[in-house]
């Protein structure tokens, strides 16, 4: 599989994962995220930043603020706490 096709497929899986969370189907979202990560590994690609930061590293679910993740902004960081208990911190600039 060429890198271009893999990138398109990863983007499509990201969109499907987001739609699944919106519909309340968290297990389906996990499967889409796992497929996208596996595709990226096999083709030696990195996940798009928006997609990588919108997924939980522990439980592989697509995170949607207010639904399954709490988002806080503190001292130059974005803190995301998933329902599974995982915490992710990312820097940001104002």
């Amino acid at each position: 599989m060429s890198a271009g096709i893999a990138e398109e497929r990863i983007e499509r899986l990201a969109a499907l994962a987001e739609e699944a969370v919106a519909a309340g189907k968290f297990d389906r979202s996990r499967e889409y995220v796992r497929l996208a990560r596996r595709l990226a590994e096999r083709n030696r690609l990195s996940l798009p930043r928006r997609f990588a930061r919108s997924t939980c590293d522990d439980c592989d679910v697509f995170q949607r603020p207010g639904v399954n993740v709490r988002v806080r902004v503190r001292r130059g960081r974005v803190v995301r706490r998933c329902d599974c208990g995982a915490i992710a911190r990312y820097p940001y600039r104002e």
Side-chain angles (χ1 to χ4, degrees), residues 23-65:
K25 299 177 181 177
F26 299 109
D27 291 334
R28 182 166 287 181
S29 173
R30 280 185 186 89
E31 288 302 316
Y32 292 142
V33 170
R34 287 178 183 149
L35 279 171
R37 285 185 176 168
R38 198 173 329 140
L39 263 173
E41 287 174 3
R42 283 183 185 166
N43 291 288
R44 294 183 181 176
L45 300 171
S46 60
L47 291 172
R49 176 176 262 175
R50 181 181 177 278
F51 181 63
R53 290 200 174 170
S54 297
T55 57
C56 179
D57 291 334
D58 290 352
C59 68
D60 292 331
V61 72
F62 191 86
Q63 295 177 335
R64 187 165 184 197

